Amino acid sequence: MTQPPNDEPTAATSEELREQVEHTREELGRTVEALAAKTDLKSRAQQKASAAKEQAGVKAAKLKGKAAQTVHLVQDKVPEPVKDKAAHAAEQARANVGQAGQLWQENAPEAVRQNATKATQLARDNRNVLLAATAGAVVMWLVCRRRKEVSR
């Protein structure tokens, strides 16, 4: 008998030969499936997109948690007189906003008012994100200010 190309001995009986053929078919099937999976670009792209989406969700959750911690940290560190001044300034701002709103309603074109209403609603819907970004900016400002004071 002749040797196959991979130098494995041939089967001595027909049963062994059938087992070798079946084993070779299974290997060939797995190889074909692997090659088909590699050529299925749409499926591979969907898998990568799904993985990226999941990873982005995890990172977003972590960032949201860090932002909440930062907000609490900043709120805890702000002295009471500063909080009082901020509350007073907020009251004044609300009063000024009321007056400005009235002027706006009287003088702004309808299309501009509609766009402003949409933008306002978007800001309200994403209030937590805006607050977290503001808190982050305040923290960065405080850190930079402190570094300047230390370097003097």
Side-chain angles (χ1 to χ4, degrees):
M1 285 199 219
T2 61
Q3 293 288 344
N6 59 0
D7 292 334
E8 290 181 11
T10 57
T13 66
S14 60
E15 185 60 35
E16 288 178 5
L17 183 58
R18 284 188 189 99
E19 287 177 12
Q20 284 181 356
V21 168
E22 185 60 33
H23 177 71
T24 303
R25 281 184 183 153
E26 288 174 6
E27 270 187 41
L28 182 60
R30 286 191 296 269
T31 303
V32 168
E33 285 177 7
L35 289 172
K38 284 186 177 183
T39 59
D40 187 1
L41 298 179
K42 182 178 179 182
S43 174
R44 290 175 64 192
Q46 286 174 342
Q47 288 173 347
K48 285 188 178 190
S50 177
K53 183 178 178 182
E54 184 178 325
Q55 187 178 14
V58 169
K59 285 184 180 182
K62 287 179 182 179
L63 288 175
K64 188 175 180 180
K66 286 183 179 182
Q69 287 177 331
T70 303
V71 168
H72 292 298
L73 179 66
V74 169
Q75 287 174 345
D76 292 344
K77 298 288 182 180
V78 173
E80 283 303 317
V82 174
K83 288 181 184 178
D84 293 341
K85 282 184 181 180
H88 181 68
E91 287 177 32
Q92 287 181 336
R94 282 189 206 99
N96 291 339
V97 166
Q99 291 173 351
Q102 186 176 357
L103 288 172
W104 173 263
Q105 289 295 328
E106 294 169 359
N107 299 318
E110 180 63 27
V112 174
R113 279 188 275 155
Q114 288 176 352
N115 286 340
T117 302
K118 289 177 186 176
T120 302
Q121 187 60 45
L122 184 63
R124 283 185 183 137
D125 292 344
N126 295 295
R127 182 176 290 158
N128 290 338
V129 174
L130 292 173
L131 289 173
T134 302
V138 168
V139 168
M140 290 302 297
W141 176 75
L142 289 171
V143 168
C144 290
R145 183 175 163 201
R146 197 168 270 176
R147 283 185 183 167
K148 284 181 184 178
E149 289 174 1
V150 170
S151 66
R152 288 184 187 174

mmCIF file of all heavy atoms in Angstrom, residues 54-102:
data_model
loop_
_atom_site.group_PDB
_atom_site.id
_atom_site.type_symbol
_atom_site.label_atom_id
_atom_site.label_comp_id
_atom_site.label_asym_id
_atom_site.label_seq_id
_atom_site.Cartn_x
_atom_site.Cartn_y
_atom_site.Cartn_z
ATOM 1 N N GLU A 54 -21.371 47.322 23.597
ATOM 2 C CA GLU A 54 -21.377 46.840 24.977
ATOM 3 C C GLU A 54 -20.263 47.502 25.786
ATOM 4 O O GLU A 54 -20.472 47.945 26.923
ATOM 5 C CB GLU A 54 -21.210 45.320 24.999
ATOM 6 C CG GLU A 54 -21.302 44.714 26.385
ATOM 7 C CD GLU A 54 -21.191 43.203 26.358
ATOM 8 O OE1 GLU A 54 -21.680 42.580 25.405
ATOM 9 O OE2 GLU A 54 -20.609 42.649 27.303
ATOM 10 N N GLN A 55 -19.084 47.605 25.195
ATOM 11 C CA GLN A 55 -17.954 48.231 25.878
ATOM 12 C C GLN A 55 -18.238 49.709 26.136
ATOM 13 O O GLN A 55 -17.922 50.229 27.209
ATOM 14 C CB GLN A 55 -16.693 48.078 25.034
ATOM 15 C CG GLN A 55 -15.428 48.546 25.731
ATOM 16 C CD GLN A 55 -14.188 48.322 24.872
ATOM 17 O OE1 GLN A 55 -14.282 48.054 23.681
ATOM 18 N NE2 GLN A 55 -13.037 48.447 25.480
ATOM 19 N N ALA A 56 -18.855 50.388 25.179
ATOM 20 C CA ALA A 56 -19.197 51.803 25.362
ATOM 21 C C ALA A 56 -20.218 51.963 26.480
ATOM 22 O O ALA A 56 -20.144 52.915 27.268
ATOM 23 C CB ALA A 56 -19.740 52.384 24.059
ATOM 24 N N GLY A 57 -21.165 51.039 26.569
ATOM 25 C CA GLY A 57 -22.151 51.094 27.645
ATOM 26 C C GLY A 57 -21.507 50.942 29.013
ATOM 27 O O GLY A 57 -21.857 51.645 29.967
ATOM 28 N N VAL A 58 -20.547 50.042 29.101
ATOM 29 C CA VAL A 58 -19.843 49.835 30.369
ATOM 30 C C VAL A 58 -19.059 51.087 30.741
ATOM 31 O O VAL A 58 -19.108 51.553 31.883
ATOM 32 C CB VAL A 58 -18.900 48.601 30.269
ATOM 33 C CG1 VAL A 58 -17.963 48.525 31.449
ATOM 34 C CG2 VAL A 58 -19.724 47.327 30.154
ATOM 35 N N LYS A 59 -18.357 51.668 29.764
ATOM 36 C CA LYS A 59 -17.581 52.876 30.033
ATOM 37 C C LYS A 59 -18.495 54.033 30.414
ATOM 38 O O LYS A 59 -18.173 54.821 31.306
ATOM 39 C CB LYS A 59 -16.724 53.249 28.831
ATOM 40 C CG LYS A 59 -15.522 52.354 28.661
ATOM 41 C CD LYS A 59 -14.634 52.805 27.529
ATOM 42 C CE LYS A 59 -13.429 51.886 27.397
ATOM 43 N NZ LYS A 59 -12.520 52.327 26.345
ATOM 44 N N ALA A 60 -19.634 54.148 29.740
ATOM 45 C CA ALA A 60 -20.577 55.231 30.054
ATOM 46 C C ALA A 60 -21.101 55.082 31.478
ATOM 47 O O ALA A 60 -21.228 56.078 32.202
ATOM 48 C CB ALA A 60 -21.732 55.226 29.057
ATOM 49 N N ALA A 61 -21.389 53.861 31.884
ATOM 50 C CA ALA A 61 -21.867 53.640 33.246
ATOM 51 C C ALA A 61 -20.794 54.016 34.267
ATOM 52 O O ALA A 61 -21.087 54.636 35.301
ATOM 53 C CB ALA A 61 -22.281 52.171 33.425
ATOM 54 N N LYS A 62 -19.545 53.661 33.967
ATOM 55 C CA LYS A 62 -18.446 54.024 34.870
ATOM 56 C C LYS A 62 -18.309 55.540 34.960
ATOM 57 O O LYS A 62 -18.139 56.095 36.051
ATOM 58 C CB LYS A 62 -17.127 53.412 34.397
ATOM 59 C CG LYS A 62 -17.030 51.916 34.609
ATOM 60 C CD LYS A 62 -15.712 51.393 34.106
ATOM 61 C CE LYS A 62 -15.610 49.880 34.252
ATOM 62 N NZ LYS A 62 -14.332 49.373 33.728
ATOM 63 N N LEU A 63 -18.364 56.216 33.802
ATOM 64 C CA LEU A 63 -18.238 57.669 33.795
ATOM 65 C C LEU A 63 -19.392 58.332 34.543
ATOM 66 O O LEU A 63 -19.193 59.313 35.255
ATOM 67 C CB LEU A 63 -18.171 58.192 32.358
ATOM 68 C CG LEU A 63 -16.874 57.917 31.612
ATOM 69 C CD1 LEU A 63 -16.986 58.377 30.167
ATOM 70 C CD2 LEU A 63 -15.710 58.607 32.291
ATOM 71 N N LYS A 64 -20.569 57.786 34.392
ATOM 72 C CA LYS A 64 -21.731 58.331 35.097
ATOM 73 C C LYS A 64 -21.538 58.198 36.599
ATOM 74 O O LYS A 64 -21.831 59.125 37.362
ATOM 75 C CB LYS A 64 -23.002 57.593 34.647
ATOM 76 C CG LYS A 64 -24.269 58.202 35.165
ATOM 77 C CD LYS A 64 -25.483 57.503 34.586
ATOM 78 C CE LYS A 64 -26.763 58.104 35.099
ATOM 79 N NZ LYS A 64 -27.946 57.448 34.561
ATOM 80 N N GLY A 65 -21.028 57.066 37.029
ATOM 81 C CA GLY A 65 -20.754 56.867 38.454
ATOM 82 C C GLY A 65 -19.697 57.824 38.963
ATOM 83 O O GLY A 65 -19.843 58.418 40.042
ATOM 84 N N LYS A 66 -18.630 58.002 38.189
ATOM 85 C CA LYS A 66 -17.573 58.935 38.587
ATOM 86 C C LYS A 66 -18.106 60.363 38.629
ATOM 87 O O LYS A 66 -17.736 61.142 39.515
ATOM 88 C CB LYS A 66 -16.382 58.840 37.640
ATOM 89 C CG LYS A 66 -15.547 57.603 37.842
ATOM 90 C CD LYS A 66 -14.349 57.601 36.927
ATOM 91 C CE LYS A 66 -13.500 56.351 37.161
ATOM 92 N NZ LYS A 66 -12.304 56.345 36.305
ATOM 93 N N ALA A 67 -18.956 60.720 37.683
ATOM 94 C CA ALA A 67 -19.525 62.070 37.662
ATOM 95 C C ALA A 67 -20.387 62.296 38.901
ATOM 96 O O ALA A 67 -20.328 63.367 39.518
ATOM 97 C CB ALA A 67 -20.348 62.278 36.394
ATOM 98 N N ALA A 68 -21.172 61.294 39.274
ATOM 99 C CA ALA A 68 -22.009 61.430 40.474
ATOM 100 C C ALA A 68 -21.134 61.593 41.711
ATOM 101 O O ALA A 68 -21.424 62.420 42.596
ATOM 102 C CB ALA A 68 -22.918 60.212 40.616
ATOM 103 N N GLN A 69 -20.050 60.820 41.788
ATOM 104 C CA GLN A 69 -19.120 60.960 42.920
ATOM 105 C C GLN A 69 -18.516 62.360 42.952
ATOM 106 O O GLN A 69 -18.387 62.969 44.009
ATOM 107 C CB GLN A 69 -17.987 59.930 42.818
ATOM 108 C CG GLN A 69 -18.402 58.524 43.140
ATOM 109 C CD GLN A 69 -17.237 57.552 42.938
ATOM 110 O OE1 GLN A 69 -16.363 57.767 42.111
ATOM 111 N NE2 GLN A 69 -17.256 56.468 43.703
ATOM 112 N N THR A 70 -18.158 62.866 41.792
ATOM 113 C CA THR A 70 -17.562 64.195 41.705
ATOM 114 C C THR A 70 -18.545 65.267 42.154
ATOM 115 O O THR A 70 -18.186 66.188 42.888
ATOM 116 C CB THR A 70 -17.097 64.481 40.262
ATOM 117 O OG1 THR A 70 -16.183 63.455 39.867
ATOM 118 C CG2 THR A 70 -16.422 65.824 40.150
ATOM 119 N N VAL A 71 -19.793 65.140 41.730
ATOM 120 C CA VAL A 71 -20.820 66.100 42.143
ATOM 121 C C VAL A 71 -20.951 66.105 43.660
ATOM 122 O O VAL A 71 -20.965 67.171 44.293
ATOM 123 C CB VAL A 71 -22.170 65.784 41.474
ATOM 124 C CG1 VAL A 71 -23.299 66.566 42.113
ATOM 125 C CG2 VAL A 71 -22.105 66.084 39.981
ATOM 126 N N HIS A 72 -21.030 64.929 44.259
ATOM 127 C CA HIS A 72 -21.152 64.849 45.716
ATOM 128 C C HIS A 72 -19.915 65.408 46.412
ATOM 129 O O HIS A 72 -20.022 66.106 47.419
ATOM 130 C CB HIS A 72 -21.418 63.405 46.158
ATOM 131 C CG HIS A 72 -22.754 62.901 45.759
ATOM 132 N ND1 HIS A 72 -23.933 63.465 46.200
ATOM 133 C CD2 HIS A 72 -23.122 61.889 44.941
ATOM 134 C CE1 HIS A 72 -24.958 62.833 45.679
ATOM 135 N NE2 HIS A 72 -24.493 61.858 44.900
ATOM 136 N N LEU A 73 -18.757 65.110 45.851
ATOM 137 C CA LEU A 73 -17.511 65.611 46.429
ATOM 138 C C LEU A 73 -17.476 67.140 46.399
ATOM 139 O O LEU A 73 -17.151 67.780 47.392
ATOM 140 C CB LEU A 73 -16.307 65.038 45.677
ATOM 141 C CG LEU A 73 -14.933 65.486 46.165
ATOM 142 C CD1 LEU A 73 -14.677 64.963 47.577
ATOM 143 C CD2 LEU A 73 -13.859 64.983 45.214
ATOM 144 N N VAL A 74 -17.845 67.702 45.258
ATOM 145 C CA VAL A 74 -17.853 69.154 45.128
ATOM 146 C C VAL A 74 -18.880 69.757 46.079
ATOM 147 O O VAL A 74 -18.601 70.754 46.758
ATOM 148 C CB VAL A 74 -18.131 69.577 43.667
ATOM 149 C CG1 VAL A 74 -18.399 71.069 43.566
ATOM 150 C CG2 VAL A 74 -16.958 69.194 42.779
ATOM 151 N N GLN A 75 -20.045 69.178 46.154
ATOM 152 C CA GLN A 75 -21.078 69.700 47.049
ATOM 153 C C GLN A 75 -20.614 69.643 48.498
ATOM 154 O O GLN A 75 -20.898 70.558 49.275
ATOM 155 C CB GLN A 75 -22.376 68.915 46.881
ATOM 156 C CG GLN A 75 -23.092 69.218 45.591
ATOM 157 C CD GLN A 75 -24.305 68.336 45.367
ATOM 158 O OE1 GLN A 75 -24.473 67.320 46.027
ATOM 159 N NE2 GLN A 75 -25.154 68.726 44.438
ATOM 160 N N ASP A 76 -19.905 68.604 48.867
ATOM 161 C CA ASP A 76 -19.415 68.478 50.242
ATOM 162 C C ASP A 76 -18.300 69.481 50.537
ATOM 163 O O ASP A 76 -18.156 69.926 51.675
ATOM 164 C CB ASP A 76 -18.903 67.052 50.506
ATOM 165 C CG ASP A 76 -20.025 66.026 50.503
ATOM 166 O OD1 ASP A 76 -21.204 66.429 50.597
ATOM 167 O OD2 ASP A 76 -19.715 64.823 50.404
ATOM 168 N N LYS A 77 -17.498 69.825 49.544
ATOM 169 C CA LYS A 77 -16.335 70.683 49.754
ATOM 170 C C LYS A 77 -16.664 72.182 49.690
ATOM 171 O O LYS A 77 -15.886 72.989 50.170
ATOM 172 C CB LYS A 77 -15.244 70.375 48.721
ATOM 173 C CG LYS A 77 -14.704 68.971 48.805
ATOM 174 C CD LYS A 77 -13.843 68.795 50.011
ATOM 175 C CE LYS A 77 -13.274 67.380 50.050
ATOM 176 N NZ LYS A 77 -12.444 67.144 51.185
ATOM 177 N N VAL A 78 -17.790 72.538 49.087
ATOM 178 C CA VAL A 78 -18.130 73.951 48.933
ATOM 179 C C VAL A 78 -18.566 74.513 50.292
ATOM 180 O O VAL A 78 -19.459 73.970 50.940
ATOM 181 C CB VAL A 78 -19.248 74.137 47.889
ATOM 182 C CG1 VAL A 78 -19.723 75.571 47.831
ATOM 183 C CG2 VAL A 78 -18.764 73.676 46.528
ATOM 184 N N PRO A 79 -17.939 75.614 50.739
ATOM 185 C CA PRO A 79 -18.302 76.208 52.026
ATOM 186 C C PRO A 79 -19.726 76.782 52.000
ATOM 187 O O PRO A 79 -20.231 77.166 50.943
ATOM 188 C CB PRO A 79 -17.279 77.336 52.209
ATOM 189 C CG PRO A 79 -16.229 77.112 51.184
ATOM 190 C CD PRO A 79 -16.810 76.277 50.110
ATOM 191 N N GLU A 80 -20.360 76.869 53.167
ATOM 192 C CA GLU A 80 -21.738 77.352 53.274
ATOM 193 C C GLU A 80 -21.918 78.767 52.720
ATOM 194 O O GLU A 80 -22.900 79.024 52.028
ATOM 195 C CB GLU A 80 -22.218 77.284 54.732
ATOM 196 C CG GLU A 80 -22.581 75.883 55.180
ATOM 197 C CD GLU A 80 -23.654 75.221 54.324
ATOM 198 O OE1 GLU A 80 -24.653 75.881 53.956
ATOM 199 O OE2 GLU A 80 -23.492 74.030 54.014
ATOM 200 N N PRO A 81 -20.994 79.721 53.005
ATOM 201 C CA PRO A 81 -21.193 81.060 52.436
ATOM 202 C C PRO A 81 -21.253 81.050 50.905
ATOM 203 O O PRO A 81 -22.019 81.789 50.295
ATOM 204 C CB PRO A 81 -19.974 81.851 52.924
ATOM 205 C CG PRO A 81 -19.500 81.137 54.124
ATOM 206 C CD PRO A 81 -19.847 79.690 53.910
ATOM 207 N N VAL A 82 -20.463 80.187 50.298
ATOM 208 C CA VAL A 82 -20.477 80.085 48.835
ATOM 209 C C VAL A 82 -21.808 79.512 48.367
ATOM 210 O O VAL A 82 -22.394 79.975 47.378
ATOM 211 C CB VAL A 82 -19.290 79.238 48.333
ATOM 212 C CG1 VAL A 82 -19.374 78.995 46.841
ATOM 213 C CG2 VAL A 82 -17.972 79.892 48.703
ATOM 214 N N LYS A 83 -22.307 78.504 49.079
ATOM 215 C CA LYS A 83 -23.609 77.922 48.730
ATOM 216 C C LYS A 83 -24.707 78.970 48.858
ATOM 217 O O LYS A 83 -25.603 79.051 48.002
ATOM 218 C CB LYS A 83 -23.916 76.721 49.624
ATOM 219 C CG LYS A 83 -23.091 75.501 49.335
ATOM 220 C CD LYS A 83 -23.476 74.365 50.259
ATOM 221 C CE LYS A 83 -22.604 73.147 50.073
ATOM 222 N NZ LYS A 83 -22.946 72.067 51.010
ATOM 223 N N ASP A 84 -24.641 79.806 49.932
ATOM 224 C CA ASP A 84 -25.644 80.854 50.128
ATOM 225 C C ASP A 84 -25.597 81.871 48.991
ATOM 226 O O ASP A 84 -26.628 82.291 48.466
ATOM 227 C CB ASP A 84 -25.440 81.549 51.478
ATOM 228 C CG ASP A 84 -25.730 80.618 52.660
ATOM 229 O OD1 ASP A 84 -26.416 79.591 52.445
ATOM 230 O OD2 ASP A 84 -25.264 80.930 53.772
ATOM 231 N N LYS A 85 -24.381 82.280 48.618
ATOM 232 C CA LYS A 85 -24.228 83.234 47.520
ATOM 233 C C LYS A 85 -24.762 82.640 46.216
ATOM 234 O O LYS A 85 -25.398 83.327 45.426
ATOM 235 C CB LYS A 85 -22.765 83.630 47.341
ATOM 236 C CG LYS A 85 -22.274 84.632 48.358
ATOM 237 C CD LYS A 85 -20.834 85.042 48.062
ATOM 238 C CE LYS A 85 -20.326 86.028 49.089
ATOM 239 N NZ LYS A 85 -18.932 86.426 48.823
ATOM 240 N N ALA A 86 -24.483 81.368 46.005
ATOM 241 C CA ALA A 86 -24.956 80.709 44.788
ATOM 242 C C ALA A 86 -26.483 80.649 44.764
ATOM 243 O O ALA A 86 -27.103 80.879 43.721
ATOM 244 C CB ALA A 86 -24.367 79.302 44.687
ATOM 245 N N ALA A 87 -27.088 80.363 45.914
ATOM 246 C CA ALA A 87 -28.548 80.318 45.994
ATOM 247 C C ALA A 87 -29.140 81.698 45.711
ATOM 248 O O ALA A 87 -30.137 81.825 44.980
ATOM 249 C CB ALA A 87 -28.989 79.817 47.361
ATOM 250 N N HIS A 88 -28.530 82.733 46.294
ATOM 251 C CA HIS A 88 -29.000 84.098 46.063
ATOM 252 C C HIS A 88 -28.846 84.471 44.585
ATOM 253 O O HIS A 88 -29.751 85.070 43.984
ATOM 254 C CB HIS A 88 -28.228 85.083 46.955
ATOM 255 C CG HIS A 88 -28.675 86.488 46.801
ATOM 256 N ND1 HIS A 88 -29.914 86.934 47.204
ATOM 257 C CD2 HIS A 88 -28.038 87.579 46.261
ATOM 258 C CE1 HIS A 88 -30.036 88.220 46.923
ATOM 259 N NE2 HIS A 88 -28.903 88.638 46.355
ATOM 260 N N ALA A 89 -27.698 84.125 44.001
ATOM 261 C CA ALA A 89 -27.468 84.405 42.582
ATOM 262 C C ALA A 89 -28.467 83.654 41.714
ATOM 263 O O ALA A 89 -28.949 84.181 40.702
ATOM 264 C CB ALA A 89 -26.043 84.031 42.200
ATOM 265 N N ALA A 90 -28.807 82.445 42.110
ATOM 266 C CA ALA A 90 -29.787 81.664 41.353
ATOM 267 C C ALA A 90 -31.157 82.326 41.398
ATOM 268 O O ALA A 90 -31.876 82.369 40.383
ATOM 269 C CB ALA A 90 -29.857 80.242 41.898
ATOM 270 N N GLU A 91 -31.524 82.849 42.564
ATOM 271 C CA GLU A 91 -32.810 83.559 42.671
ATOM 272 C C GLU A 91 -32.823 84.781 41.758
ATOM 273 O O GLU A 91 -33.808 85.023 41.046
ATOM 274 C CB GLU A 91 -33.048 83.994 44.121
ATOM 275 C CG GLU A 91 -33.404 82.864 45.052
ATOM 276 C CD GLU A 91 -33.549 83.339 46.494
ATOM 277 O OE1 GLU A 91 -33.972 84.502 46.706
ATOM 278 O OE2 GLU A 91 -33.244 82.553 47.396
ATOM 279 N N GLN A 92 -31.733 85.549 41.776
ATOM 280 C CA GLN A 92 -31.650 86.722 40.906
ATOM 281 C C GLN A 92 -31.700 86.306 39.438
ATOM 282 O O GLN A 92 -32.353 86.962 38.625
ATOM 283 C CB GLN A 92 -30.371 87.501 41.193
ATOM 284 C CG GLN A 92 -30.408 88.267 42.493
ATOM 285 C CD GLN A 92 -29.109 89.039 42.724
ATOM 286 O OE1 GLN A 92 -28.055 88.670 42.186
ATOM 287 N NE2 GLN A 92 -29.190 90.103 43.519
ATOM 288 N N ALA A 93 -31.011 85.237 39.126
ATOM 289 C CA ALA A 93 -30.999 84.758 37.742
ATOM 290 C C ALA A 93 -32.401 84.348 37.304
ATOM 291 O O ALA A 93 -32.820 84.646 36.183
ATOM 292 C CB ALA A 93 -30.034 83.587 37.601
ATOM 293 N N ARG A 94 -33.135 83.670 38.187
ATOM 294 C CA ARG A 94 -34.512 83.279 37.847
ATOM 295 C C ARG A 94 -35.372 84.504 37.570
ATOM 296 O O ARG A 94 -36.178 84.514 36.643
ATOM 297 C CB ARG A 94 -35.111 82.433 38.963
ATOM 298 C CG ARG A 94 -34.643 81.009 38.965
ATOM 299 C CD ARG A 94 -35.428 80.142 39.960
ATOM 300 N NE ARG A 94 -34.605 79.035 40.366
ATOM 301 C CZ ARG A 94 -33.905 78.967 41.492
ATOM 302 N NH1 ARG A 94 -33.967 79.939 42.379
ATOM 303 N NH2 ARG A 94 -33.156 77.928 41.763
ATOM 304 N N ALA A 95 -35.216 85.528 38.396
ATOM 305 C CA ALA A 95 -35.993 86.756 38.191
ATOM 306 C C ALA A 95 -35.627 87.394 36.855
ATOM 307 O O ALA A 95 -36.512 87.811 36.088
ATOM 308 C CB ALA A 95 -35.744 87.730 39.342
ATOM 309 N N ASN A 96 -34.324 87.442 36.566
ATOM 310 C CA ASN A 96 -33.875 88.026 35.295
ATOM 311 C C ASN A 96 -34.331 87.192 34.109
ATOM 312 O O ASN A 96 -34.686 87.738 33.065
ATOM 313 C CB ASN A 96 -32.359 88.175 35.281
ATOM 314 C CG ASN A 96 -31.872 89.231 36.249
ATOM 315 O OD1 ASN A 96 -32.631 90.109 36.656
ATOM 316 N ND2 ASN A 96 -30.612 89.146 36.634
ATOM 317 N N VAL A 97 -34.318 85.889 34.280
ATOM 318 C CA VAL A 97 -34.768 84.999 33.204
ATOM 319 C C VAL A 97 -36.244 85.231 32.926
ATOM 320 O O VAL A 97 -36.683 85.238 31.769
ATOM 321 C CB VAL A 97 -34.478 83.522 33.555
ATOM 322 C CG1 VAL A 97 -35.226 82.579 32.637
ATOM 323 C CG2 VAL A 97 -32.987 83.253 33.484
ATOM 324 N N GLY A 98 -37.019 85.428 33.986
ATOM 325 C CA GLY A 98 -38.447 85.704 33.799
ATOM 326 C C GLY A 98 -38.674 86.956 32.978
ATOM 327 O O GLY A 98 -39.498 86.976 32.057
ATOM 328 N N GLN A 99 -37.925 88.009 33.301
ATOM 329 C CA GLN A 99 -38.042 89.261 32.542
ATOM 330 C C GLN A 99 -37.567 89.070 31.103
ATOM 331 O O GLN A 99 -38.207 89.541 30.158
ATOM 332 C CB GLN A 99 -37.231 90.369 33.214
ATOM 333 C CG GLN A 99 -37.800 90.812 34.538
ATOM 334 C CD GLN A 99 -36.879 91.785 35.264
ATOM 335 O OE1 GLN A 99 -35.740 91.996 34.847
ATOM 336 N NE2 GLN A 99 -37.380 92.369 36.340
ATOM 337 N N ALA A 100 -36.461 88.368 30.941
ATOM 338 C CA ALA A 100 -35.938 88.132 29.593
ATOM 339 C C ALA A 100 -36.910 87.277 28.784
ATOM 340 O O ALA A 100 -37.104 87.500 27.587
ATOM 341 C CB ALA A 100 -34.575 87.454 29.669
ATOM 342 N N GLY A 101 -37.510 86.295 29.438
ATOM 343 C CA GLY A 101 -38.484 85.440 28.757
ATOM 344 C C GLY A 101 -39.670 86.223 28.239
ATOM 345 O O GLY A 101 -40.162 85.973 27.135
ATOM 346 N N GLN A 102 -40.109 87.163 29.038
ATOM 347 C CA GLN A 102 -41.236 87.988 28.614
ATOM 348 C C GLN A 102 -40.848 88.833 27.391
ATOM 349 O O GLN A 102 -41.603 88.911 26.419
ATOM 350 C CB GLN A 102 -41.684 88.891 29.756
ATOM 351 C CG GLN A 102 -42.946 89.671 29.456
ATOM 352 C CD GLN A 102 -43.417 90.472 30.655
ATOM 353 O OE1 GLN A 102 -42.838 90.418 31.726
ATOM 354 N NE2 GLN A 102 -44.497 91.211 30.457
#
